[in-house]
Every structure is written in structure tokens, then in C-alpha cells.
Amino acid sequence: EVTMSCSRSENIIDDPISMNVVVNMAPLSAPTADDAAMRINVDISRAVFFMTSNHYSQAMTTLDLNIGEINNFLRETDEDFLLEDQQVEVSRGNTKRMTHGGVEEIIVKKRMYMNFRFAGICLELCKRNIRDPLMTIAAVESEVQLRLLSDSDETKVNATMLDLIVEDRRHISAGRPFRNVMQQLNADSDSDRDVF
């Protein structure tokens, strides 16, 4: 189970989230890149996230400071962390790289297919704290497929959400007959469901 709270002791996740992770690793000798791909399936229970204006400001500040830096490297060159005898090998034309454990680094490029399935996912936008909600965006049976194709340097993402609801949760809207800003539900369970 996963839970999270901020420095002000406010919950960021409503209820603890349960996860089930299954990883299938194929042998390197598989005939095709698809057959050799690592497959990861993650089933996640209902997940409700809160985002207050303070959480949003902190996230944007963190992104601005980390991504917005002109020089975001810890070391100027790859050679800065090599031992003296390793630097001699690099200068002689031997491009063998060593790990911090002192063994030769071997990089095997494999495709990775990740499939995240959510029983339900919800984002509740709030003002200053979680007791003052603004809007809820919720979807059930959501699925995100992430395909990391390292052999062609591509990343592909496919996301589907079923039964999407956007609801006005402001206190002043309580008691109104229509609080849904947007609603796409599947009323007929026998037909194919709408996919966003």
C-alpha cells in the first residue's frame, strides 16, 4: 500500500493505494525485439489524489529549478569520475566504462512495455487545503500503456479512460441540481464502452 502527505500534514492521497506488479523478462536470445521485451503489468486500486494551490506552486517551482537550470550536470565530463588508471585507458583509445563497483559496464538495450491499469483514478483540485475543494476529475477503468523502444529511441504512450466525470465541488454549488461540468457515462452495459 502507498500513501502520501505533504509537509503541512495534509493528505495528498485519500486512501492508501494497493498495487500488484508483475514483471516478465524474456531471454536475450528471443528471435525478435518484441519477443525479447520486458513486460511490466501494474494493477492499481482506486486512487484519489488531492492537489491544493500550495502543492501546485511547489511542483511548478521544483520543475522550474530542476529543469530550468542552464548547467544541470553533476560532472562536467564523463572522465571526471574515472580512476587514474581508467583515465589512462580512455586516453589510449580504450572506451571501456567501469561501474562504481569496479566491474565493466555492459549495456543491453531492450524494449520495455509497461501497462498501468487503474480501477478508478481521481484528481481533486482544492484551494488552500483539502477541506476547500474546487473540482473533481474522475475516470474508472483507466489504462496507460507505455512502450519504451530503446532500439529506435522512441517512446509511445496510449491512454484510455472510461466513464469520465468532471464535477464542480465548490461549497457554493452544493444543492444545485447540475454539478457536473462534463459527464461521459456508458448507460448501456451491453454495448461497447466509449473510450476517450
Side-chain angles (χ1 to χ4, degrees):
E1 291 189 346
V2 176
T3 188
M4 194 182 313
S5 61
C6 69
S7 60
R8 297 179 180 199
S9 298
E10 289 186 346
N11 287 340
I12 295 176
I13 298 174
D14 187 23
D15 293 324
I17 299 171
S18 299
M19 285 188 213
N20 180 30
V21 180
V22 177
V23 177
N24 294 320
M25 296 186 67
L28 294 174
S29 60
T32 65
D34 265 349
D35 293 336
M38 179 189 302
R39 298 184 192 307
I40 302 167
N41 293 314
V42 182
D43 290 312
I44 302 172
S45 66
R46 179 180 167 270
V48 179
F49 299 95
F50 295 108
M51 180 174 278
T52 65
S53 58
N54 294 326
H55 298 149
Y56 180 80
S57 297
Q58 180 61 53
M60 292 301 108
T61 300
T62 302
L63 288 173
D64 185 45
L65 291 176
N66 288 348
I67 296 175
E69 289 180 8
I70 295 172
N71 185 9
N72 58 355
F73 300 99
L74 295 175
R75 302 177 180 102
E76 290 185 20
T77 66
D78 287 341
E79 293 180 15
D80 287 349
F81 68 93
L82 295 177
L83 301 174
E84 289 180 20
D85 55 336
Q86 292 171 348
Q87 287 179 353
V88 171
E89 288 180 14
V90 170
S91 66
R92 289 183 188 152
N94 187 351
T95 58
K96 194 185 322 182
R97 294 189 46 131
M98 304 298 279
T99 66
H100 292 290
V103 295
E104 183 180 348
E105 180 182 36
I106 299 172
I107 298 173
V108 178
K109 289 189 173 186
K110 288 181 74 172
R111 291 182 173 191
M112 186 181 302
Y113 300 152
M114 302 175 76
N115 193 20
F116 298 91
R117 284 186 295 272
F118 295 88
I121 188 164
C122 175
L123 175 64
E124 187 154 329
L125 303 175
C126 305
K127 289 185 182 176
R128 286 211 163 285
N129 57 51
I130 61 175
R131 291 172 297 284
D132 195 7
L134 287 172
M135 183 177 292
T136 299
I137 304 166
V140 297
E141 297 180 28
S142 301
E143 187 170 348
V144 177
Q145 296 173 338
L146 178 64
R147 297 167 50 101
L148 303 173
L149 310 176
S150 59
D151 52 336
S152 59
D153 289 330
E154 289 182 279
T155 301
K156 296 182 179 181
V157 178
N158 184 32
T160 58
M161 294 183 289
L162 305 176
D163 296 348
L164 183 67
I165 299 172
V166 179
E167 182 183 359
D168 183 0
R169 302 269 300 165
R170 296 173 298 165
H171 294 301
I172 61 169
S173 67
R176 291 185 181 170
F178 302 104
R179 292 182 70 171
N180 289 347
V181 176
M182 183 179 131
Q183 179 174 349
Q184 179 64 41
L185 295 175
N186 180 26
D188 184 11
S189 60
D190 294 332
S191 67
D192 291 336
R193 303 187 72 146
D194 291 327
V195 178
F196 293 90

